[in-house]
Amino acid sequence: GIYSMSGWFSLLFWRSWKWMLRIFTGQCELQRICQRETYLPQRSSRIAGSLKASRSEALRTISRDGSGDCQPEDALQTILRVKKISKDKDPSFIVRLNPCLMQVISLNVLKSEIEKMRTEIYSQENTEHEQMLMKLWSLLMPHVALESRITKKWGQIGFQGTDPATDFRGMGLLGLHCLVYFAETYNDKARKVLSNSQHPSKGYPYAITGINLTSILVTWLNNGTMDYYYYTIAQEREAVTLMDFLEAYCYITYNFNQFWSDSKPDNVMSFPRIKDQFSTELKKELCERPVSIKLSLS
């Protein structure tokens, strides 16, 4: 009761403060953010937060719509209408807000796209799925032939059993997409990581680790940990894309391998502890302002 009452008073104070600022400045919160924040990632982050906390359902929808139907121009018109802002009276607001809307909306679309891939179940009946899996093998093990689809050889690239399909349950087809992208785009690096992971006593399961790292990226994408990072790297082209997520996957997979080696593990039983240490340190870097790390191998 006390905590909910405290939260209610905090919300009341915050909204009263916003109302007073609007009266004194003649500007809504979105206008004040655009006027004050010159650094695009910070501006986009604050615009997203303001839209999410708005009392207007139309504005809250802009902050979370990942359908692709919400275009920046439509969102702009909605904001002007809801906030009763005149284009002619505040033209600089439009110029500063537009790139923010592009970033916020494209990030929402990415989140939706990633969730769709994550929830797509791997199916042995799906020819495209099977071809992608066989492509992963040929990219990582070009000189070793598979004698059959169900085989213990899958363990050589870090799957748990004789049929990799069972390992994709948590991350769906997204896990396979990430593994294939790394192996195809940075083949030498991917095969180097695979080779290191195959150490007889101090190795780790390559494919399962990749799926685990994909899960970390998905969690950070969905809980907002990586929002500021994506706004930062998308400054020049404004829009956030699927490529940004896949490049981040390649980076953390490659760097986890180095982190694993530097940690000098006794055996694979050290994996949970080292993975947690790795993700904690990486998350700390992602939370720096401004973000200096770039999750890309290119």
Side-chain angles (χ1 to χ4, degrees), residues 138-156:
S138 64
L139 285 167
L140 293 175
M141 305 286 283
H143 306 302
V144 180
L146 283 177
E147 69 275 5
S148 64
R149 167 63 177 75
I150 306 297
T151 172
K152 289 183 179 179
K153 280 190 175 180
W154 288 112
Q156 294 179 31

Side-chain angles (χ1 to χ4, degrees), residues 7-18:
W8 184 83
F9 276 117
S10 295
L11 180 63
L12 180 63
F13 174 79
W14 177 67
R15 286 186 169 163
S16 299
W17 175 246
K18 281 177 64 178

Side-chain angles (χ1 to χ4, degrees), residues 220 229 282-289 291 293 295:
W220 289 348
Y229 167 75
L282 182 57
K283 186 175 182 180
K284 193 182 299 182
E285 288 190 75
L286 288 168
C287 290
E288 290 178 355
R289 298 293 180 266
V291 177
I293 189 172
L295 307 184

Side-chain angles (χ1 to χ4, degrees), residues 7-251:
W8 184 83
F9 276 117
S10 295
L11 180 63
L12 180 63
F13 174 79
W14 177 67
R15 286 186 169 163
S16 299
W17 175 246
K18 281 177 64 178
W19 177 79
M20 285 190 292
L21 282 174
R22 172 138 200 181
I23 294 298
F24 290 135
T25 65
Q27 295 180 321
C28 70
E29 184 178 45
L30 295 174
Q31 287 173 296
R32 294 194 300 273
I33 291 171
C34 285
Q35 187 179 67
R36 188 166 57 247
E37 301 292 352
T38 56
Y39 185 51
L40 179 57
Q42 178 68 12
R43 191 160 74 243
S44 293
S45 181
R46 294 206 56 201
I47 289 294
S50 180
L51 292 171
K52 186 177 180 180
S54 175
R55 283 181 292 179
S56 164
E57 174 59 25
L59 298 195
R60 291 199 301 274
T61 298
I62 295 171
S63 75
R64 62 174 184 262
D65 188 355
S67 65
D69 296 332
C70 179
Q71 297 299 314
E73 181 57 33
D74 299 329
L76 175 62
Q77 294 305 320
T78 299
I79 290 169
L80 294 176
R81 174 177 54 79
V82 172
K83 292 297 184 180
K84 298 180 174 60
I85 300 171
S86 168
K87 270 186 176 183
D88 298 329
K89 288 185 179 179
D90 194 356
S92 65
F93 172 64
I94 312 298
V95 173
R96 288 176 168 268
L97 181 63
N98 262 326
C100 299
L101 293 176
M102 177 74 80
Q103 290 198 335
V104 170
I105 291 169
S106 63
L107 182 56
N108 288 339
V109 171
L110 173 63
K111 290 178 179 182
S112 179
E113 190 174 3
I114 290 296
E115 185 60 14
K116 183 179 178 182
M117 293 167 74
R118 188 192 69 79
T119 54
E120 184 174 355
I121 300 169
Y122 183 96
S123 171
Q124 288 180 255
E125 310 302 317
N126 188 309
T127 306
E128 287 185 10
H129 294 185
E130 287 286 284
Q131 287 176 345
M132 200 183 308
L133 179 60
M134 299 311 292
K135 181 179 184 179
L136 176 65
W137 176 271
S138 64
L139 285 167
L140 293 175
M141 305 286 283
H143 306 302
V144 180
L146 283 177
E147 69 275 5
S148 64
R149 167 63 177 75
I150 306 297
T151 172
K152 289 183 179 179
K153 280 190 175 180
W154 288 112
Q156 294 179 31
I157 61 172
F159 286 105
Q160 293 183 109
T162 57
D163 184 4
T166 59
D167 291 326
F168 294 120
R169 287 172 184 163
M171 285 292 106
L173 212 62
L174 176 64
L176 181 55
H177 271 288
C178 289
L179 287 165
V180 170
Y181 181 85
F182 183 35
E184 187 170 35
T185 310
Y186 304 102
N187 189 255
D188 289 345
K189 287 183 170 65
R191 289 173 65 189
K192 177 185 176 183
V193 172
L194 174 63
S195 177
N196 291 347
S197 76
Q198 292 171 331
H199 189 281
S201 61
K202 298 182 179 181
Y204 58 89
Y206 175 87
I208 294 300
T209 298
I211 294 170
N212 268 273
L213 295 175
T214 301
S215 178
I216 290 172
L217 282 176
V218 169
T219 299
W220 289 348
L221 177 69
N222 290 333
N223 68 16
T225 296
M226 293 190 70
D227 286 8
Y228 199 97
Y229 167 75
Y230 284 124
Y231 294 148
T232 300
I233 62 168
Q235 286 184 82
E236 293 179 4
R237 49 190 160 80
E238 295 180 350
V240 183
T241 68
L242 176 61
M243 192 75 70
D244 296 321
F245 182 92
L246 295 172
E247 284 291 324
Y249 168 80
C250 296
Y251 176 92

